Amino acid sequence: QVQLVESGGDSVQPGGSLRLSCTASGYNYNCLGWFRQDPGKERVGVATIASDGRTVYADFVKGRFTISKDNSKNTLYLQMDSLEPEDTALYYCAAGLGVPAGSKHLCGKGVKYDYWGQGTQVTVSS
C-alpha cells in the first residue's frame, strides 16, 4: 500500500524558516515532489527531485527553498527559508514514475504524479 505522510507545517512570521518532511513507502517511484494549494486556487508545483538527485524548482521559490531526500529513511524534505505571506498554503508531497528520457526520468512541470499525501498547512503571517 502506498503511503505518503507529510509533517512539519506550522505558523511562522515573515522571514522565518520551516522544514517539511514526507515519508514515502510502498511505491517504486522515480520522482518525488512538493506541491502547494491555496483555497480556491489550483495546485502548483513547488519543487521536484528525481531518483538521481536532479532537482527542479518553481521560479517563485528559487533561492529560498531546497528539496532533498534521504533514501535510507524513505523521507523527502523541503527546507523553506525567507518565508513570505504568499507562501501560505497547504503543502503536499507526491510520488510518480516520471517521463522516460534516455537513461533518466523527467520529473518537473507537466509530469503526472500518481500518489499524494494528505497535506500539511504552512501559514506565514505577522
Side-chain angles (χ1 to χ4, degrees):
Q1 183 178 356
V2 178
Q3 276 195 318
L4 296 168
V5 181
E6 303 98 335
S7 62
D10 205 343
S11 295
V12 296
Q13 293 188 340
S17 297
L18 280 176
R19 189 176 80 158
L20 305 183
S21 300
C22 172
T23 56
S25 61
Y27 184 62
N28 188 18
Y29 43 82
N30 295 310
C31 302
L32 291 170
W34 287 100
F35 298 77
R36 72 187 192 188
Q37 186 171 23
D38 277 342
K41 295 184 179 180
E42 290 188 357
R43 187 163 50 195
V44 297
V46 174
T48 63
I49 186 167
S51 55
D52 63 2
R54 288 174 298 113
T55 58
V56 177
Y57 292 93
D59 287 343
F60 55 80
V61 302
K62 281 182 180 177
R64 299 189 300 124
F65 292 8
T66 303
I67 189 172
S68 62
K69 60 189 176 79
D70 185 334
N71 293 330
S72 67
K73 297 180 180 179
N74 290 327
T75 302
L76 175 71
Y77 301 102
L78 184 68
Q79 177 65 42
M80 305 187 294
D81 299 318
S82 301
L83 282 162
E84 303 168 351
E86 292 75 20
D87 296 318
T88 296
L90 189 60
Y91 284 72
Y92 298 89
C93 70
L97 292 176
V99 174
S103 61
K104 301 179 180 180
H105 288 82
L106 302 178
C107 301
K109 189 176 181 179
V111 173
K112 179 178 179 290
Y113 280 74
D114 302 298
Y115 296 98
W116 297 82
Q118 293 300 306
T120 186
Q121 179 67 39
V122 172
T123 302
V124 185
S125 174
S126 55

